[in-house]
Amino acid sequence: MKNEEEKNTPQNISGDFWDELPNLVKQLIDESIEQSIKGNVRPHEEVIAELKKMDNIA
């Protein structure tokens, strides 16, 4: 049996949950990664400010 340190490594965790995700979620994650690699990202603060402005939240 693996010890706790071995069970929680990214190599051991990544395959476990990925295989159980719905295909749509996998597709959206892959698209997000591709957008990030291409630099199509915005700072979190900018997105939140825009959403608050759209919803008229102070």
Side-chain angles (χ1 to χ4, degrees):
M1 182 169 190
K2 296 179 181 181
N3 64 36
E4 286 301 313
E5 293 172 5
E6 290 175 344
K7 284 197 290 187
N8 294 324
T9 61
Q11 297 88 343
N12 293 326
I13 295 171
S14 63
D16 293 344
F17 79 89
W18 182 260
D19 295 335
E20 296 187 24
L21 291 174
N23 287 332
L24 177 60
V25 173
K26 291 179 188 179
Q27 178 185 349
L28 292 171
I29 291 170
D30 288 339
E31 288 175 14
S32 298
I33 292 170
E34 186 176 323
Q35 289 175 345
S36 177
I37 290 169
K38 290 179 179 179
N40 297 333
V41 296
R42 297 189 314 174
H44 177 263
E45 294 80 12
E46 182 181 310
V47 174
I48 295 301
E50 184 178 321
L51 290 172
K52 286 181 178 180
K53 186 176 179 181
M54 289 172 50
D55 287 337
N56 294 320
I57 299 173

